[in-house]
Amino acid sequence: MRNLLTDVPGLTVGHATDLKLGSGVTAILCHPPAVAAVDVRGGAPGTRETDLLDPAATVPHVDAIVLSGGSAYGLDAASGVTSWLAAHGRGYLVKDIRVPIVPSAILFDLLNGGDKHWGRHSPYRDLGYAAAAAAGEDFALGSVGAGTGATTARVKGGLGSASAIAPTGHRVGALVAVNALGCPLMGEGPHFRAAPFERNGEFGGLGLPVPLPADGGGIHLKGATPKTATTIAVVATDADLTSAQTRHFAVMAQDGLALSLYPVHTPLDGDCVFALATGQATLSDPIGDLLAIGTTAAAVLARAVARAVYEATALPFFGAQPAWRDLFPGAVRGRG
């Protein structure tokens, strides 16, 4: 187990990072195509092809999921991933034509100080192609890919991932780009809200503060740019789920954002969680197994959020937005 989304067999992940732009793209490729669903709870989402994920829709599987910075411009990234998949003979077969199915979601990182003067066409299509070409089982965390330009209320956001084995024996993984309006920390920090779910010191091993801080329930938001939010994620399992079951898996998993960020699902966030079921492992009890898998996914997603912030590094154009490890150097205990 790598403690990554790719611990679920059949998935690979690639990043494309442009530090001058202050943004990037993360592509999650499915080999073979996977059953997919989505749960959108934020008030300001930006998505593509999500209607196709309704259990009543005709196309049963997806070839990839794309997470991108760039707000609406970042939706171009899915076209780049689509082009890469088509060039490699992948996609939904219609007679002799293959049409890659690539849902996507974006976060807002346009005001982080990077160079956004790209001319007539945005760079996200090319970044999407590069992310797909780079996909593999191992991938970086922190200020990379879709998490490059991400921020939170107090510390730099980023790209995180985690995995676990559910009580049923099924594998569960999560990947998240954390760009929240709210805060991943308890009070002034350095303790993470996701601390109860941490494994093996993966984000510092600090646990929860004792006693809990008086302002632990306080509302801490991004200050000067409150409309630059959204946390987008993918959760996956090797379980053989139907489209309807995968949808409920996404719903349960999204609770991981509430376990690790506060506040969350606000009118200014576009919080969105995709779910993938790769189908290698059967269910012995459809209801009980789904309950266990979904509960595990919520904890795994919470851990991935904290890892995103823990592994993030400050970039010069972010001004006063510090990385967690720079803000709390005495709390760093090594990487998980």
Side-chain angles (χ1 to χ4, degrees):
M1 297 283 282
R2 302 174 181 82
N3 202 21
L4 298 173
L5 179 74
T6 50
D7 286 325
V8 176
L11 302 180
T12 56
V13 173
H15 300 310
T17 302
D18 187 328
L19 296 180
K20 181 180 178 182
L21 178 69
S23 189
V25 173
T26 297
I28 300 92
L29 307 188
C30 309
H31 327 258
V35 176
V38 68
D39 183 47
V40 179
R41 296 192 194 179
T47 59
R48 165 175 161 161
E49 293 273 48
T50 51
D51 284 351
L52 200 62
L53 303 182
D54 187 298
T58 301
V59 177
H61 301 91
V62 303
D63 297 285
I65 301 289
V66 179
L67 308 182
S68 178
S71 190
Y73 301 101
L75 293 174
D76 289 346
S79 294
V81 175
T82 299
S83 295
W84 187 92
L85 290 167
H88 289 78
R90 295 167 59 178
Y92 184 68
L93 187 62
V94 183
K95 291 191 175 180
D96 59 345
I97 298 294
R98 288 197 175 271
V99 182
I101 307 300
V102 185
S104 67
I106 48 84
L107 55 81
F108 192 108
D109 59 6
L110 297 178
L111 300 180
N112 60 22
D115 182 6
K116 306 302 192 294
H117 301 291
W118 48 64
R120 184 172 183 178
H121 298 293
S122 88
Y124 288 97
R125 182 186 177 100
D126 289 339
L127 288 171
Y129 193 98
E137 292 183 342
D138 292 305
F139 57 92
L141 305 182
S143 299
V144 296
T148 301
T151 57
T152 76
R154 285 189 166 162
V155 289
K156 177 76 175 65
L159 192 290
S161 192
S163 66
I165 302 295
T168 57
H170 296 91
R171 293 190 174 211
V172 176
L175 180 150
V176 60
V178 182
N179 187 56
L181 178 66
C183 187
L185 307 179
M186 291 293 296
E188 296 293 331
H191 301 268
F192 289 95
R193 290 187 172 273
F197 308 98
E198 185 176 14
R199 294 189 177 185
N200 303 318
E202 62 193 344
F203 41 89
L206 301 179
L208 288 172
V210 179
L212 293 175
D215 67 341
I219 298 176
H220 304 287
L221 307 175
K222 289 180 182 177
T225 53
K227 295 184 179 180
T228 62
T230 288
T231 296
I232 48 180
V234 176
V235 295
T237 179
D238 62 354
D240 185 9
L241 303 182
T242 65
S243 293
Q245 289 171 324
T246 305
R247 160 69 177 156
H248 205 89
F249 174 48
V251 169
M252 293 187 71
Q254 178 128 217
D255 288 345
L257 300 185
L259 296 172
S260 54
L261 296 165
Y262 183 77
V264 73
H265 307 143
T266 75
L268 298 177
D269 285 288
D271 300 330
C272 173
V273 174
F274 293 98
L276 297 170
T278 60
Q280 295 99 335
T282 60
L283 303 181
S284 59
D285 174 0
I287 294 176
D289 286 3
L290 181 58
L291 188 156
I293 292 166
T295 302
T296 301
V300 170
L301 181 54
R303 291 165 48 210
V305 167
R307 289 193 84 195
V309 175
Y310 182 73
E311 298 288 351
T313 53
L315 301 176
F317 45 78
F318 283 93
Q321 179 90 94
W324 180 92
R325 57 185 57 246
D326 294 330
L327 195 59
F328 307 109
V332 178
R333 300 183 181 180
R335 295 177 182 267

